[in-house]
Amino acid sequence: MSESALPDADYLVLASRLIPDRDGGFTISVLRRAGDMAAAGARVRLLTVDPGEQEEHDRDRAEWVRRGLLGAPEDLRNLFDDARADAAWLRAAALPLPSPASAPGADVGSRAIRDAAGRTVLELPVIAGDPAWHLSEAPVVVWSAGGAEPIGWLPGFGGLYRAWLNALAAETRRDTVVICEARQVGEVLVADAPPQLDPGIRLVHTTHACHVQAPYTWDAPMDAAWTRWFDVADRFDGVLWLTASQRADVERRVSGIRSFVVPHPAPAGLANDPVPGRIVMLNTLSARKRVDDAIRALATVRASVPHAELHVYGDGPERATLVAMADSLGLGDAVFFHGHTADPEVAWATADLFVLTSTNEGQPLVVLEALGHGVPVVAYDIPYGPRDTLARGGGMLVPDGGVDALAGALTALLTGPGVRAWLADAARAAAAGMDAAASMRALAAAVRAALDAPAPRPGR
């Protein structure tokens, strides 16, 4: 086995859901990671646990295949679709129950999951208004093969997820590595409740977001979801951080986590024919993205570069406010809101510069995509991602929240002779050094460590 090869194992990439045009860059990054693993020779199955209908999941699979992010529909499996097709694994894992009413938390509402013939396969607890619903051990009630009566139960969603993963792992004789992509799912996989996760399964957990709240310093407060997750993070066989900066900040306040840095890969060699002065953004129109800062900066930029324009791709709750703001600054003919696009190449094809003004990120895919297209980046120096990603070149960092500095950097790149071309070449070179092969080498090292030295967790 070469140093860069992924260890021989059965890989299960587990997400809460993978729905087209939902959840921003998270969904795309999960699908791309699985694709990169498959291209590196690994046997990969994508898994989701959202309790949608079979028809909805089939539409999603078909769309991902159409977009080239899924090889075939059968490469993406869903827990509830599997249960509808054959629930033998579910019945085998169920705890005996003479009466569902005797189970803990049995007084909550329920939702029936039925197969194609209309027979009840299981009943899910409905826990409304509780952000920690996934931690409840209210019973998942399991029904008989013919759907005639309940025959057993599992303790909450965690029990259901663990039973499914155990059944999938039993389908192969090889080592099984679960790469968990969702914190709500991950924290229940290591719970001390039956059925416990098979001790042979290696559980590697990814992270996708900034773990602190405002003011986003290393010691800033964390919300309850992150705090709960950190309380059990030492039970994971590996935790993957997107940047060295975030791992370092975590290690300043939390100990005992087996941490590795596995960045998103950058695409390389993509086409770009820039329109002079065309500045682009690709993000949701939410307060966290601070598109208003970019609009204010544009007002200053146009004093020196009258043809400068801002093209914003994305949608969200701030759109009406941002449109009104652009009009009030006399920029109604210079700021273009294109809405959501399923094909970001439309934006990258003519981009002159890319700007990022978020309050925080994990490692934004858009910065990597800009580099791969040879589009220079101007970004606020925020946690996390821009500083680590631009360390090889291809962009400029400005102080977080500094609108005047942002405008100055954009103006310098648009007016300085040869500056844009130099940064574009640097961007392409940086992307080439952060390709999928580099990301897979980092992932392989983390997986080898997890296989060689598993972490202690319940049932192991």
Side-chain angles (χ1 to χ4, degrees):
M1 182 189 304
S2 68
E3 182 183 354
S4 62
L6 286 165
D8 185 29
D10 189 50
Y11 291 89
L12 306 177
V13 178
L14 174 62
S16 53
R17 64 187 184 187
L18 293 171
I19 300 174
D21 307 320
R22 293 281 296 273
D23 304 318
F26 164 80
T27 304
I28 302 301
S29 69
V30 171
L31 289 160
R32 285 181 180 171
R33 190 199 309 275
D36 290 340
M37 294 169 65
R43 180 171 182 249
V44 184
R45 286 178 284 177
L46 275 160
L47 310 176
T48 60
V49 295
D50 65 295
E53 297 298 328
Q54 174 89 41
E55 293 79 7
E56 296 170 331
H57 296 146
D58 287 343
R59 285 196 299 270
D60 294 345
R61 294 180 181 105
E63 178 61 14
W64 290 130
V65 171
R66 188 191 70 80
R67 296 188 190 184
L69 288 167
L70 187 68
E74 57 269 23
D75 294 338
L76 174 55
R77 292 174 66 169
N78 173 268
L79 184 156
F80 298 96
D81 293 350
D82 274 13
R84 292 180 181 107
D86 183 358
W89 60 271
L90 184 60
R91 294 188 294 272
L95 304 174
L97 182 67
S99 169
S102 66
D107 55 342
V108 301
S110 65
R111 172 191 169 187
I113 302 296
R114 296 183 172 87
D115 64 16
R119 296 172 299 214
T120 299
V121 177
L122 58 91
E123 290 181 80
L124 297 175
V126 176
I127 305 165
D130 184 356
W133 58 269
H134 58 294
L135 300 177
S136 170
E137 293 188 2
V140 172
V141 180
V142 180
W143 282 60
S144 62
E149 59 184 355
I151 60 167
W153 70 292
L154 291 168
F157 290 89
L160 180 61
Y161 301 163
R162 295 189 296 272
W164 187 43
L165 292 178
N166 289 344
L168 293 174
E171 294 177 1
T172 177
R173 294 177 180 272
R174 300 197 297 175
D175 291 325
T176 298
V177 178
V178 173
I179 299 181
C180 183
E181 303 275 9
R183 292 197 312 273
Q184 283 186 330
V185 177
E187 63 182 304
V188 299
L189 293 183
V190 294
D192 189 6
Q196 290 170 342
L197 201 64
D198 186 307
I201 292 175
R202 298 299 190 267
L203 182 56
V204 177
H205 207 304
T206 69
T207 56
H208 289 267
C210 178
H211 63 285
V212 291
Q213 299 178 314
Y216 308 110
T217 55
W218 74 269
D219 56 348
M222 293 186 290
D223 65 25
W226 272 105
T227 300
R228 283 196 315 268
W229 185 86
F230 276 119
D231 285 343
V232 298
D234 59 351
R235 301 181 181 184
F236 302 129
D237 299 303
V239 172
L240 310 184
W241 302 98
L242 291 169
T243 66
S245 296
Q246 188 171 15
R247 181 180 68 174
D249 281 357
V250 167
E251 290 178 343
R252 295 176 74 178
R253 63 192 298 178
V254 181
S255 61
I257 301 176
R258 300 170 179 223
S259 290
F260 304 87
V261 177
V262 181
H264 291 317
L270 301 178
N272 170 250
D273 185 14
V275 172
R278 180 166 293 184
I279 304 164
V280 303
M281 303 183 79
L282 292 89
N283 49 242
T284 57
L285 305 186
S286 63
R288 186 172 73 86
K289 299 298 184 175
R290 292 191 290 195
V291 178
D292 55 328
D293 280 15
I295 294 173
R296 292 188 185 94
L298 181 68
T300 301
V301 170
R302 280 172 64 87
S304 302
V305 189
H307 62 279
E309 298 175 344
L310 179 64
H311 290 253
V312 184
Y313 293 82
D315 217 333
E318 298 289 312
R319 179 165 182 157
T321 300
L322 293 169
V323 169
M325 176 186 175
D327 288 341
S328 71
L329 292 174
L331 298 173
D333 61 344
V335 181
F336 300 87
F337 294 91
H338 296 276
H340 172 77
T341 176
D343 182 13
E345 291 303 310
V346 172
W348 295 123
T350 57
D352 199 10
L353 301 176
F354 169 74
V355 64
L356 181 81
T357 51
S358 305
T359 61
N360 66 93
E361 295 284 353
Q363 185 196 20
L365 290 177
V366 285
V367 172
L368 294 160
E369 290 171 354
L371 297 179
H373 286 84
V375 178
V377 175
V378 179
Y380 279 160
D381 190 5
I382 59 166
Y384 292 93
R387 175 170 290 275
D388 297 72
T389 305
L390 296 177
R392 296 170 178 259
M396 297 176 62
L397 293 174
V398 299
D400 184 10
V403 174
D404 289 343
L406 183 68
L410 292 169
T411 301
L413 266 62
L414 292 173
T415 59
V419 176
R420 195 273 179 196
W422 174 74
L423 274 179
D425 290 342
R428 292 189 184 279
M434 297 184 288
D435 61 4
S439 180
M440 289 299 100
R441 285 194 295 270
L443 177 61
V447 171
R448 280 194 292 271
L451 290 169
D452 291 344
R457 69 169 185 247
R460 179 182 276 170

